[in-house]
């Protein structure tokens, strides 16, 4: 006969259930959850998941929907004509994001203090030599910081930092370091933070593809899942690197992105 | 404005050193040192004698770089001077033996009201030791990294560019670059060159704008998978960006199907430098 155990809330001792209690246990489970390998996840971890999901939800008003990562320009110049082109283009955007921007997310999440963030912001300002990408990064980063400072009131440094640097014009508020900083301050590990950055990048390009009428919403979801393993490969390949190693690996994508300003008719900012 | 660019880290013995200073009111090469495999040539006169500019040609013995070579050139351009640095012929990089990497480094310091024009010929990478450029061998090298860094006073980073082309499992370099066999980058920096910057920005925009058209809708359907008939991709694609405080610099990045089209582009856009340098770069 096996006995079902539960933890007594007041003491840490395991106490065997009676048969009536066993019934109730299944309905009345606000005890700590036991995962498969018996590692308990704490209420703090659970709460963190709500913050994490909110941060990655496209409904967060950071203006990500205004940017296509150069997809609009690629379509108009016939670099993306069919579904295979689209898939290939998204993969290259992910590769470039990994090689150029993940180091910034990594460093900001590992050292989530204002001084380190500011250095990263200045470095990225000099590194984003493509004006279109640079402005898109600053616009998204600023919006993200404004939103995060309002939402995560338990982290007053976000608002303080914003107030300090907004007026002076010394910072550009680039997206990758801000994203990494917020992840770090929320307690996410750097691996999750980097993976999350790749996720939102993919999410936004796929979304842009549907709005450009390149693919339907269902097709887009199918594509996103198909590419997920490639995105994971790239995350593993480019994660945990110092910013000195940040490089571009898809020069053609960069050039096409830089052409966004030459589009006569456009839906997106970049 | 002073600036310096190049590789940081441990300082190894330079392969070449050149210094340009004003002597008798004219830009003069006051120091010129080089050792194997690098050779520096300073012709007596390039272009009109009215122009105050010195030209420094660099060439590699054997016409190329082989595995393990590290060529580093350090140039100083003094206040008010003008200098141009160029390669005499296309730099060829041969297939690496023992997987050793080869390196070419240029570091320059530029004084106040000084001008340095770096006008290299293209780097051509060969997949075979013989250097023959057979079909299907475009972009067939393992790794190519190009880094360009520009700093203002007190080591403030202004422009940090690094391009890494590496064969990858997800896609080869050739697949990534498609039919574009040449990439190039032009950086025009400093208040003295504002008119050149403005002209390049306007012209690149005019040239590229006509290649971007909203595709005609296919009656409510999503993209077809067959290639559509109609206009093809541009044979040369370029984008121009301003960078730095007060947009002090402009960078143009180019990808093209042929080297000749890039030469034409450069000749055309850099022609306005003739009064400064005495000749048209790539002319």
């Amino acid at each position: 006969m096996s006995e079902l155990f539960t933890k007594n809330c007041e003491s840490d001792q395991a106490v065997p259930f009676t048969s009536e209690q066993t019934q109730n246990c299944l309905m009345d489970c606000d005890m700590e959850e036991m995962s498969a390998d018996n590692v308990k996840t704490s209420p703090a971890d659970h709460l963190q998941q709500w913050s994490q999901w909110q941060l990655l939800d496209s409904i967060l008003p950071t203006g990500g929907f205004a940017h296509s990562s150069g997809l609009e320009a690629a379509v108009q110049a016939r670099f993306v004509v069919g579904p295979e082109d689209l898939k290939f283009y998204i993969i290259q955007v992910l590769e470039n994001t990994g090689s150029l921007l993940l180091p910034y997310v990594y460093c900001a999440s590992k050292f989530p203090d204002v001084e380190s963030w500011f250095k990263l912001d200045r470095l990225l300002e000099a590194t984003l030599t493509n004006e279109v990408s640079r402005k898109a990064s600053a616009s998204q980063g600023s919006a993200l910081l404004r939103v995060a400072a309002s939402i995560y009131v338990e982290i007053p440094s976000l608002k303080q930092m914003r107030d300090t640097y907004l007026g002076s014009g010394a910072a550009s508020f680039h997206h990758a370091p801000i994203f990494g900083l917020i992840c770090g301050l929320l307690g996410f590990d750097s691996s999750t933070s980097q993976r999350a950055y790749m996720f939102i990048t993919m999410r936004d390009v796929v979304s842009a593809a549907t709005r450009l009428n390149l693919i339907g919403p269902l097709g887009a979801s199918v594509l996103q899942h198909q590419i997920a393993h490639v995105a994971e490969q790239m995350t593993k390949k480019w994660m945990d690197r110092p910013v000195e190693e940040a490089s571009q690996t898809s020069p053609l994508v960069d050039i096409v992105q830089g052409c966004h300003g030459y589009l006569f008719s456009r839906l997106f900012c970049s | 404005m002073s600036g310096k660019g190049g590789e940081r880290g441990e300082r190894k013995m330079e392969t070449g050193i050149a210094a340009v200073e004003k002597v008798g009111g004219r830009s003069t090469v006051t120091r010129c040192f080089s050792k194997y495999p690098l050779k520096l040539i300073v012709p007596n006169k390039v272009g009109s004698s009215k122009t105050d500019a010195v030209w420094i040609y660099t060439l590699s013995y054997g016409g190329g770089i082989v595995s393990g070579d590290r060529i580093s050139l350090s140039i100083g351009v003094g206040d008010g001077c003008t200098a141009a640095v160029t390669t005499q012929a296309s730099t060829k990089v041969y297939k690496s033996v023992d997987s050793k990497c080869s390196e070419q480094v240029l570091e320059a310091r530029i004084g106040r009201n000084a001008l340095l024009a770096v006008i290299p010929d293209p780097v051509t990478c060969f997949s075979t030791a013989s250097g023959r450029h057979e079909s299907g061998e475009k972009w067939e090298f393992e790794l190519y990294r190009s880094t360009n860094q520009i700093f203002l006073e007190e080591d403030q980073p202004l422009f940090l560019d690094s391009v890494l082309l590496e064969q990858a499992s997800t896609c080869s370099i050739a697949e990534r670059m498609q039919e574009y066999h040449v990439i190039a980058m032009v950086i025009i920096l400093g208040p003295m060159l504002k008119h050149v910057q403005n002209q390049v920005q306007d012209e690149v925009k005019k040239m590229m704008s006509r290649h971007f058209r909203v595709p005609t809708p296919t009656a409510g359907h999503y993209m077809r998978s067959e290639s559509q008939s109609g206009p093809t991709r541009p044979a040369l694609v370029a984008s121009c960006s301003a960078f730095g405080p007060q947009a002090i610099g402009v960078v143009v990045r180019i990808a093209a199907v042929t080297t000749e089209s890039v030469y034409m582009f450069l000749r055309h856009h850099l022609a306005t430098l003739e009064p400064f340098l005495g000749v048209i770069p790539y002319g």
Side-chain angles (χ1 to χ4, degrees):
Chain A
M1 184 187 73
S2 61
E3 288 176 283
L4 187 65
F5 284 84
T6 185
K7 280 183 71 163
N8 182 298
C9 283
E10 282 84 58
S11 79
D12 248 9
Q13 281 188 311
V15 172
F17 266 8
T18 61
S19 52
E20 297 119 65
Q21 282 177 316
T22 309
Q23 292 296 324
N24 295 331
C25 178
L26 295 169
M27 293 182 297
D28 195 17
C29 238
D30 76 340
M31 299 294 187
E32 288 172 12
E33 195 179 302
M34 300 273 230
S35 65
D37 35 343
N38 259 355
V39 172
K40 297 180 199 101
T41 50
S42 67
D45 293 331
H46 290 160
L47 204 56
Q48 201 185 72
Q49 280 188 20
W50 291 85
S51 294
Q52 200 177 87
W53 295 345
Q54 186 173 12
L55 190 64
L56 305 183
D57 192 339
S58 54
I59 213 170
L60 195 70
T62 58
F65 57 83
H67 303 282
S68 74
S69 295
L71 182 58
E72 184 166 36
V75 167
Q76 290 199 22
R78 291 155 313 279
F79 283 93
V80 173
V81 174
E84 281 310 306
D85 294 338
L86 175 62
K87 187 174 181 175
F88 186 62
Y89 186 83
I90 296 175
I91 290 173
Q92 286 191 87
V93 168
L94 288 173
E95 180 104 65
N96 233 20
T97 301
S99 63
L100 190 64
L101 297 172
L102 272 197
Y104 288 89
V105 179
Y106 170 61
C107 293
S109 68
K110 271 220 107 64
F111 306 104
D113 60 276
V114 179
E115 219 181 288
S116 305
W117 161 78
F118 184 68
K119 284 195 193 116
L120 291 173
D121 184 77
R122 296 291 77 217
L123 275 177
L124 190 51
E125 172 72 8
T127 304
L128 288 172
T129 56
N130 175 331
E131 193 170 10
V132 173
S133 317
R134 188 170 68 240
K135 288 187 173 151
S137 167
S139 146
Q140 286 184 267
S142 303
L144 178 59
L145 181 61
R146 182 172 67 85
V147 165
S150 302
I151 297 175
Y152 306 116
V153 291
E154 67 274 22
I155 310 173
S157 59
L158 285 172
K159 187 174 188 303
Q160 281 161 17
M161 166 188 147
R162 188 166 181 264
D163 291 341
T164 307
Y165 286 95
L166 204 56
S168 70
S172 308
F173 301 103
H174 283 296
H175 193 221
I178 296 234
F179 186 85
L181 173 77
I182 293 169
C183 286
L185 290 173
L186 285 173
F188 307 152
D189 61 88
S190 61
S191 164
T192 304
S193 309
Q194 291 170 92
R195 186 170 287 106
Y197 193 75
M198 293 288 270
F199 173 79
I200 62 169
T201 301
M202 180 167 71
R203 175 200 73 188
D204 288 345
V205 193
V206 171
S207 160
T210 59
R211 278 151 52 233
L212 284 167
N213 243 347
L214 304 175
I215 197 168
L218 186 57
S221 304
V222 169
L223 180 64
Q224 189 170 344
H225 185 63
Q226 278 175 355
I227 301 179
H229 76 279
V230 179
E232 176 58 21
Q233 256 180 285
M234 301 214 169
T235 306
K236 286 210 175 63
K237 178 177 172 187
W238 296 110
M239 73 190 323
D240 299 353
R241 290 178 186 229
V243 292
E244 291 74 32
E245 283 183 29
S247 312
Q248 282 209 56
T249 47
S250 305
L252 205 51
V253 165
D254 180 69
I255 293 170
V256 170
Q257 278 179 343
C259 286
H260 194 87
Y262 308 146
L263 269 50
F264 180 70
S265 141
R266 49 186 112 149
L267 283 178
F268 294 88
C269 296
S270 81
Chain B
M1 177 200 81
S2 75
K4 74 174 202 270
E7 199 182 301
R8 275 124 132 227
E10 189 192 284
R11 219 182 158 76
K12 297 185 178 129
M13 176 60 182
E14 250 84 9
T15 329
I17 303 175
V20 179
E21 282 159 337
K22 284 275 195 184
V23 174
R26 292 193 63 79
S27 301
T28 313
V29 176
T30 54
R31 188 175 177 202
C32 183
F33 160 80
S34 61
K35 64 174 187 172
Y36 182 87
L38 183 68
K39 178 116 187 90
L40 298 180
I41 298 170
V42 183
N44 271 333
K45 199 188 293 182
V46 176
S48 148
S49 57
K50 289 197 205 76
T51 326
D52 178 41
V54 288
W55 282 70
I56 302 170
Y57 288 82
T58 70
L59 65 89
S60 303
Y61 283 107
I65 300 177
V66 292
S67 54
D69 273 354
R70 185 181 188 273
I71 298 176
S72 69
L73 175 58
S74 177
I75 299 182
V77 185
D79 295 351
C81 294
T82 301
V85 180
T86 185
T87 50
Q88 199 168 44
S90 202
T91 303
K92 298 172 185 56
V93 183
Y94 294 102
K95 185 181 167 76
S96 174
V97 175
D98 306 330
S99 304
K100 270 192 266 174
C101 264
S102 317
E103 252 190 308
Q104 246 193 153
V105 178
L106 170 69
E107 182 173 327
R109 278 174 184 65
I110 301 136
R112 298 186 71 79
N113 298 315
L115 176 65
L116 174 67
V118 180
I119 307 169
D121 267 0
V123 177
T124 317
C125 298
F126 291 96
S127 68
T128 63
S130 67
R132 281 197 303 276
H133 216 176
E134 283 140 33
S135 65
E137 281 182 14
K138 312 268 192 221
W139 305 114
E140 282 296 310
F141 48 80
E142 281 305 307
L143 182 147
Y144 176 81
R145 185 194 286 273
S146 165
T147 305
N148 292 279
Q149 300 179 332
I150 306 176
F151 299 88
L152 295 175
E153 289 97 352
E154 283 140 48
D155 284 344
Q156 281 182 74
L158 174 64
F159 182 91
L160 301 174
D161 161 73
S162 181
V163 173
L164 173 66
L165 295 179
E166 198 178 22
Q167 299 297 358
S169 49
T170 40
C171 80
S172 66
I173 303 171
E175 281 175 289
R176 224 176 301 166
M177 297 305 299
Q178 301 178 54
E179 70 270 28
Y180 300 93
H181 297 311
V182 188
I183 52 172
M185 180 171 70
V186 183
I187 305 169
I188 306 164
L189 175 63
M192 244 199 285
L193 301 175
K194 197 75 203 166
H195 62 292
V196 184
Q197 293 173 354
N198 292 338
Q199 190 177 321
V200 171
Q201 285 198 293
D202 289 342
E203 293 196 15
V204 170
K205 180 169 184 166
K206 269 199 204 87
M207 174 187 86
M208 291 305 304
S209 294
R210 59 174 198 267
H211 291 294
F212 292 92
R213 287 282 174 269
V214 179
T216 47
T218 52
H221 291 117
Y222 300 115
M223 288 187 298
R224 296 195 296 253
S225 45
E226 334 77 68
S227 55
Q228 301 170 333
S229 62
T232 50
R233 291 201 279 250
L236 184 146
V237 55
S239 61
C240 198
S241 290
F243 66 87
Q246 286 89 49
I248 198 177
V250 151
V251 56
V252 189
R253 284 193 207 265
I254 303 151
V257 177
T258 65
T259 317
E260 186 47 42
S261 61
V262 179
Y263 273 123
M264 272 174 56
F265 179 94
L266 295 173
R267 269 196 295 272
H268 175 78
H269 289 287
L270 301 179
T272 36
L273 290 178
E274 191 181 1
F276 294 100
L277 303 176
V279 292
I280 297 176
Y282 303 104

